[in-house]
Amino acid sequence: MVEIQSDFIIDDFDCEQKKIVTENWENLKRRKHPFAAIVKPTDNCNMACPYCYVDRKSTKLWMENDVLEATIVKITRLIQNQRLIHFIWHGGEPLLLGLNFFKKIVALQRKHCLGTKIENCIQTNGTLLTEEMIRFFVKNHFSISLSIDGPASIHNINRKFPNGEGSFDKVMQTVTLLRKYGQVIGAVAVITKATLPNIRNLYSFMKKLGIQFRINPIIQVGPDRQNYDASGITALEYGKAMQELFDLWFFDDTPIHIDPINIIVGNMISNTVWGCDYHRGCLQDIICINPDGNLYPCGQFAGNEKFYLGNILKDSIETVLSNPVFLEVRQRSPKLIKECQSCEFVRICNSGCLVAAWMRGKGILAPDYFCEGRKLLFAHIRKRLEDEIDRVQKLYK
């Protein structure tokens, strides 16, 4: 049985360690953003996508009950009802554990999260969802995000079963089922070389289905390093593709939600910066728990010994908060990265994604690998917004 403890257990820490732990803990509680716990019930998957970054180094194939309960208990204790906790059930493919695993999640949250604001989201490849599962998830307010790279001609290039068969038809069956139960459908699309000449097709496809989506470039971590040349794109290719996608969205009278486009626009016109890539919130807003309970700053670093923070079963939250890796990641700042110090977009970018910086091979104190592409996109969006403001002002003169 895992118990929530009400006070810090830092009697064995020296004064400096106590100061660091207390400061980190208070910073975690004060943040405006939801706290995301990326929980990986398994690294296993029923598919074999060549661009997958999951490094299957967990010492456990499946998350056991003690790890699951410790995760829910300790994350709840860490935040102490000061922020919304967003549990993201990820993988691998989380639905491989079956419906009973998710029934345990709901039971444990009802037991340990009373008074705490929580949300549950499942990130799934969409091939294992059954009608019984969907009824349960709808009843218990789980959101569901599917992996969809676009129409079949794009999707089936990389999103394949081990026998080489594409998964598109199966995923579309799932979309139909989700619609039957009124479930809002979200998706993650990976932008690859195959996507570049098909940006318009991608947008039209997602809009026709009414799917709000996030679009991600391939990040060179884990096993996908060896396949990056086949599917990965350059920073400038990313920037130009995102410019095209933005224009499709911007000039559409009834656009769908696209992350990061909606987020970037919001960041430009507000004082608060949102978005995983931009708000410099690693370890203040995100932590990843592997099937064996090992902790990492991000799901894309899971299994990387360099970024190991501790274990949810063996280590107290206080020990994790005082881990040198925690401190190193938390201190990453544009002020420490020469290329970012004079950048005109530093306020809305904050040096970009930590993992995309790491893929440059120069450590985390480097700009995002896609920096030049992001700057192209930022400048493009700013110009479009400025032109629109000028147009509206002229109408009312």
Side-chain angles (χ1 to χ4, degrees):
M1 180 67 65
V2 180
E3 297 291 339
I4 298 181
Q5 299 157 2
S6 58
D7 298 309
F8 272 159
I9 309 172
I10 55 178
D11 293 339
D12 294 333
F13 289 8
D14 61 30
C15 290
E16 186 60 28
Q17 285 177 311
K18 289 181 181 180
K19 179 181 177 182
I20 289 170
V21 168
T22 303
E23 179 185 348
N24 285 337
W25 189 57
E26 290 300 326
N27 284 335
L28 280 165
K29 291 194 297 179
R30 282 197 301 263
R31 296 277 292 178
K32 297 179 181 179
H33 305 82
F35 185 85
I38 302 171
V39 190
K40 297 190 168 196
T42 182
D43 282 340
N44 285 356
C45 188
N46 63 316
M47 291 179 59
C49 305
Y51 57 43
C52 182
Y53 63 81
V54 175
D55 207 339
R56 300 180 186 183
K57 291 184 178 179
S58 176
T59 58
K60 301 279 187 180
L61 288 177
W62 316 101
M63 181 170 283
E64 296 178 357
N65 291 342
D66 55 350
V67 175
L68 176 61
E69 185 168 18
T71 295
I72 291 171
V73 166
K74 290 189 177 181
I75 295 299
T76 301
R77 176 178 169 241
L78 175 67
I79 301 304
Q80 292 197 348
N81 199 28
Q82 299 299 308
R83 300 163 64 183
L84 169 68
I85 301 174
H86 193 189
F87 287 99
I88 303 172
W89 304 96
H90 213 285
E93 173 49 54
L95 295 183
L96 283 172
L97 278 83
L99 184 55
N100 283 340
F101 180 81
F102 292 91
K103 289 181 177 179
K104 290 176 190 173
I105 289 170
V106 171
L108 289 168
Q109 288 176 339
R110 286 174 179 168
K111 178 180 179 181
H112 295 299
C113 301
L114 291 176
T116 302
K117 297 176 182 177
I118 63 170
E119 291 180 351
N120 288 296
C121 174
I122 298 173
Q123 180 62 49
T124 171
N125 60 40
T127 66
L128 298 176
L129 271 166
T130 65
E131 198 156 355
E132 182 185 11
M133 285 179 173
I134 292 172
R135 285 197 297 267
F136 174 84
F137 293 140
V138 170
K139 179 181 177 181
N140 290 283
H141 311 292
F142 279 66
S143 61
I144 297 173
S145 176
L146 307 176
S147 296
I148 308 175
D149 282 357
S153 59
I154 303 172
H155 179 96
N156 283 339
I157 292 173
N158 287 297
R159 304 207 59 80
K160 303 175 182 179
F161 293 106
N163 65 2
E165 180 184 346
S167 61
F168 180 82
D169 290 344
K170 183 62 180 172
V171 176
M172 290 303 102
Q173 291 172 16
T174 298
V175 169
T176 300
L177 267 182
L178 289 169
R179 280 223 186 93
K180 175 181 175 180
Y181 288 91
Q183 183 80 356
V184 174
I185 305 172
V188 173
V190 177
I191 183 170
T192 66
K193 283 183 169 66
T195 320
L196 295 180
N198 291 291
I199 295 297
R200 181 175 294 275
N201 291 341
L202 169 64
Y203 183 80
S204 300
F205 173 80
M206 293 295 197
K207 183 175 180 181
K208 182 178 179 181
L209 290 178
I211 295 177
Q212 53 189 5
F213 69 102
R214 173 178 173 85
I215 187 163
N216 291 331
I218 299 174
I219 301 294
Q220 289 187 67
V221 292
D224 67 353
R225 282 181 178 272
Q226 58 191 336
N227 298 312
Y228 192 80
D229 289 344
S231 299
I233 60 176
T234 67
L236 293 180
E237 286 173 332
Y238 171 77
K240 290 175 181 178
M242 292 301 291
Q243 285 178 332
E244 182 180 354
L245 184 61
F246 174 82
D247 282 349
L248 290 166
W249 174 87
F250 186 73
F251 292 110
D252 187 343
D253 291 336
T254 56
I256 55 176
H257 179 97
I258 304 176
D259 179 2
I261 286 174
N262 286 73
I263 287 173
I264 295 169
V265 172
N267 291 345
M268 285 188 172
I269 62 178
S270 72
N271 293 323
T272 302
V273 177
W274 296 86
C276 174
D277 293 341
Y278 305 121
H279 63 52
R280 199 164 73 87
C282 295
L283 284 181
Q284 298 178 82
D285 299 325
I286 300 170
I287 198 164
C288 174
I289 304 94
N290 249 23
D292 55 7
N294 286 349
L295 299 164
Y296 301 92
C298 172
Q300 292 176 318
F301 277 144
N304 187 324
E305 294 180 3
K306 161 76 176 172
F307 293 96
Y308 172 75
L309 294 167
N311 184 278
I312 199 77
L313 277 179
K314 299 174 184 176
D315 298 309
S316 68
I317 290 295
E318 296 78 20
T319 300
V320 173
L321 292 177
S322 63
N323 187 302
V325 175
F326 186 103
L327 303 178
E328 180 185 2
V329 170
R330 182 177 166 239
Q331 289 169 359
R332 182 177 184 261
S333 163
K335 294 178 181 179
L336 301 177
I337 301 171
K338 182 179 178 181
E339 296 92 331
C340 300
Q341 292 168 6
S342 59
C343 177
E344 60 183 316
F345 299 112
V346 66
R347 184 190 73 81
I348 63 167
C349 178
N350 286 300
S351 301
C353 172
L354 173 74
V355 184
W358 174 257
M359 70 184 272
R360 282 176 175 262
K362 297 180 180 179
I364 64 173
L365 294 182
D368 185 316
Y369 176 85
F370 295 98
C371 173
E372 294 306 313
R374 293 193 196 276
K375 287 195 286 188
L376 275 180
L377 176 61
F378 295 155
H380 184 79
I381 292 176
R382 181 177 63 187
K383 181 66 165 59
R384 288 284 190 242
L385 294 178
E386 289 172 346
D387 289 348
E388 181 64 11
I389 291 169
D390 288 344
R391 185 186 71 81
V392 172
Q393 287 177 338
K394 287 175 183 177
L395 287 175
Y396 289 94
K397 279 186 178 179

